[in-house]
Amino acid sequence: PTGTGKDGKAVFLRDIWPTRDEVANVETACVLPAMFREVYSKLKEGTPRWNALQAPSGELYPWDGASTYIHDPPFFKTMTLDLPPTGSISGAHCLLNFGDSITTDH
């Protein structure tokens, strides 16, 4: 149980969790398309502080070999435009197996 009610009985998450309809009603009432349009229309502008940051320009990042924070990834040194042939994978094991609603890009 997640707690105990005033009546002394155990309270479980299933007792207090909102139904899908309750969540949908709140979304319909509170999550408005105009909110997203406003935020995303200004997204590329940035803030004054962000826009004041100095950043290198050009097609390639100018790696600082003396940096202790960010390093040139070593696999870039041998990377070519042509993909190497794929070999077979043997003895591999799955580390994690997620469902369809997991995002791994950030």
Side-chain angles (χ1 to χ4, degrees):
T2 57
T4 306
K6 290 181 182 179
D7 58 2
K9 293 183 180 177
V11 176
F12 293 90
L13 192 55
R14 67 177 173 255
D15 300 326
I16 58 174
W17 200 262
T19 66
R20 286 186 179 268
D21 286 340
E22 290 171 325
V23 171
N25 289 338
V26 171
E27 285 179 338
T28 300
C30 300
V31 182
L32 307 173
M35 296 162 62
F36 293 94
R37 281 193 289 274
E38 179 184 351
V39 169
Y40 285 105
S41 70
K42 299 175 184 174
L43 195 63
K44 290 185 179 179
E45 293 174 19
T47 63
R49 186 173 175 194
W50 176 262
N51 292 331
L53 289 173
Q54 296 297 314
S57 61
E59 291 186 25
L60 298 176
Y61 183 80
W63 297 102
D64 178 2
S67 173
T68 58
Y69 179 68
I70 187 167
H71 295 274
D72 185 4
F75 55 83
F76 282 165
K77 291 178 181 22
T78 58
M79 187 180 285
T80 63
L81 291 176
D82 298 321
L83 292 175
T86 55
S88 36
I89 299 172
S90 60
H93 297 276
C94 177
L95 295 176
L96 299 169
N97 185 2
F98 295 113
D100 291 338
S101 64
I102 299 294
T103 236
T104 58
D105 61 349
H106 57 286

